[in-house]
Amino acid sequence: TVDASLPRNRATLKLWNKYRISNIPSLIFLDATTGKVVCRNGLLVIRDDPEGLEFPWGPKPFREVIAGPLLRNNGQSLESSSLEGSHVGVYFSAHWCPPCRSLTRVLVESYRKIKEAGQSFEIIFVSADRSEESFKQYFSEMPWLAVPYTDEARRSRLNRLYGIQGIPTLIVLDPQGEVITRQGRVEVLNDEDCRGFPWHPKPVLELSDSNATQLNEGPCLVLFVDSEDDGESEAAKQLIQPIAEKIIAKYKAKEEEAPLLFFVAGEDDMTDSLRDYTNLPEAAPLLTILDMSARAKYVMDVEEITPAIVEAFVNDFLAEKLKPEPI
């Protein structure tokens, strides 16, 4: 259980980062034998299953959770079995949420482009609207499918399945129902032409306004470079990528999320704001690990960044050998 009254000591912060906590209160159920996450959205479980009839609340396949009729905004009803063989975007959104409405406008165009390109793709709207009238008004703008508003149990099970902590959230699934990315919102905003669809995660991201929110999800390695130097950002990504891939693969084999996200930051307003907020020097290149939830930073200011330096820096961080500075 994570609650605002808990002291922000090091052990607590490690748990926040490990389980990607962004909202409180949060309740996560673990398998005591393996330590693996059974359910990320325990508060919804308690609300929906107060008698514990579905205990131990382990994750169910998407195909099972989504089973049932789905709607189009013209009133047509389709069975969820019609999704078989398609990539699926599960879209958690609501009309009362301004960022949701902004994303929906972009997503309508993305959906059209993907379909026109001949891709097998469908989106399912999972409403967080506060009334059926609001749901109908919002859904009228959408060309895709929706879980019926009246099917609150199914909407809640989908929220539980993906541990939804905020909206808008777009989760993209492969045709087998496995998650490709939880960052569909960022991908749609960054890929106007949808050339990267279905948006398999990149090991290293270039910091931008649309993906900067990911800095709050846990510790992030950020390599600041002089982007006025042609090719510097791409060279920096190529330098970090093998190390990022190694870390990601190691934790994926353990069925765990990687303990670090990896970014390259050039010279723009977003980067300037980040430097100001974290009180970083203007040096470039500058190798850092930023942990926003712990309000801590780890900085390596050297003239040349090499793969060996980055790998040693990452390994020392993971082994808790580095001394943090306050943000």
Side-chain angles (χ1 to χ4, degrees):
T1 305
V2 179
D3 188 272
S5 62
L6 285 173
R8 284 293 189 99
N9 58 38
R10 189 161 183 167
T12 300
L13 287 167
K14 284 178 69 177
L15 289 172
W16 278 63
N17 289 334
K18 181 177 179 66
Y19 299 115
R20 297 285 195 262
I21 301 300
S22 59
N23 289 320
I24 54 174
S26 289
L27 176 62
I28 293 175
F29 293 115
L30 306 176
D31 183 318
T33 303
T34 64
K36 292 179 180 177
V37 174
V38 173
C39 175
R40 290 187 175 277
N41 214 329
L43 296 176
L44 275 179
V45 167
I46 291 173
R47 188 196 73 181
D48 294 347
D49 185 25
E51 303 297 326
L53 300 177
E54 297 180 29
F55 181 83
W57 305 302
K60 296 178 180 178
F62 170 73
R63 187 182 298 105
E64 182 178 334
V65 176
I66 197 62
L70 299 169
L71 300 178
R72 292 206 181 275
N73 59 18
N74 62 4
Q76 180 187 5
S77 178
L78 298 173
E79 280 301 314
S80 58
S81 57
S82 65
L83 299 171
E84 289 185 12
S86 297
H87 286 84
V88 175
V90 189
Y91 184 37
F92 299 86
S93 186
H95 188 264
W96 53 262
C97 162
C100 294
R101 296 198 301 273
S102 296
L103 179 61
T104 296
R105 287 192 289 270
V106 177
L107 189 55
V108 166
E109 288 304 306
S110 298
Y111 177 80
R112 179 183 60 77
K113 289 174 183 176
I114 293 168
K115 300 286 270 188
E116 287 179 353
Q119 299 272 12
S120 184
F121 179 54
E122 193 51 81
I123 294 176
I124 301 170
F125 171 39
V126 184
S127 173
D129 288 295
R130 293 165 178 159
S131 70
E132 187 167 12
E133 183 179 351
S134 292
F135 162 76
K136 288 179 177 177
Q137 179 184 352
Y138 193 27
F139 187 39
S140 69
E141 305 168 12
M142 302 176 183
W144 46 73
L145 300 169
V147 175
Y149 186 81
T150 53
D151 196 343
E152 185 176 352
R154 191 162 31 145
R155 289 191 288 123
S156 182
R157 286 196 298 271
L158 286 162
N159 274 272
R160 283 163 45 188
L161 179 62
Y162 297 114
I164 301 303
Q165 297 189 45
I167 55 173
T169 295
L170 176 64
I171 294 177
V172 181
L173 311 178
D174 68 17
Q176 289 71 48
E178 298 297 324
V179 173
I180 293 176
T181 179
R182 300 177 61 88
Q183 300 296 333
R185 174 189 185 183
V186 172
E187 298 293 353
V188 165
L189 294 175
N190 277 345
D191 185 14
E192 184 177 328
D193 294 325
C194 305
R195 290 176 182 167
F197 177 82
W199 302 302
H200 289 278
K202 300 179 181 69
V204 183
L205 300 174
E206 192 157 350
L207 187 66
S208 66
D209 288 336
S210 57
N211 65 27
T213 56
Q214 292 178 252
L215 293 170
N216 296 311
E217 294 185 5
C220 298
L221 182 143
V222 184
L223 175 55
F224 294 86
V225 298
D226 180 3
S227 60
E228 292 181 358
D229 185 350
D230 289 343
E232 186 71 17
S233 292
E234 188 58 36
K237 282 194 281 187
Q238 294 301 318
L239 184 150
I240 295 174
Q241 183 157 324
I243 298 156
E245 289 175 340
K246 185 176 177 180
I247 294 289
I248 292 166
K250 176 182 176 181
Y251 283 84
K252 185 176 182 179
K254 298 192 288 185
E255 297 183 14
E256 295 179 10
E257 291 190 36
L260 275 173
L261 297 177
F262 295 82
F263 290 88
V264 168
E267 291 187 351
D268 54 24
D269 291 343
M270 179 68 247
T271 300
D272 290 343
S273 297
L274 180 59
R275 284 186 188 268
D276 291 344
Y277 179 74
T278 54
N279 195 27
L280 288 170
E282 291 296 323
L286 183 68
L287 183 62
T288 69
I289 292 175
L290 305 178
D291 188 344
M292 297 301 191
S293 61
R295 297 190 63 80
K297 63 186 177 185
Y298 307 81
V299 182
M300 179 169 283
D301 185 0
V302 294
E303 289 188 8
E304 183 181 3
I305 305 292
T306 66
I309 286 174
V310 175
E311 188 159 19
F313 186 55
V314 168
N315 289 339
D316 285 349
F317 170 77
L318 296 177
E320 300 182 17
K321 294 180 180 179
L322 301 179
K323 184 177 180 181
E325 301 175 41
I327 289 179

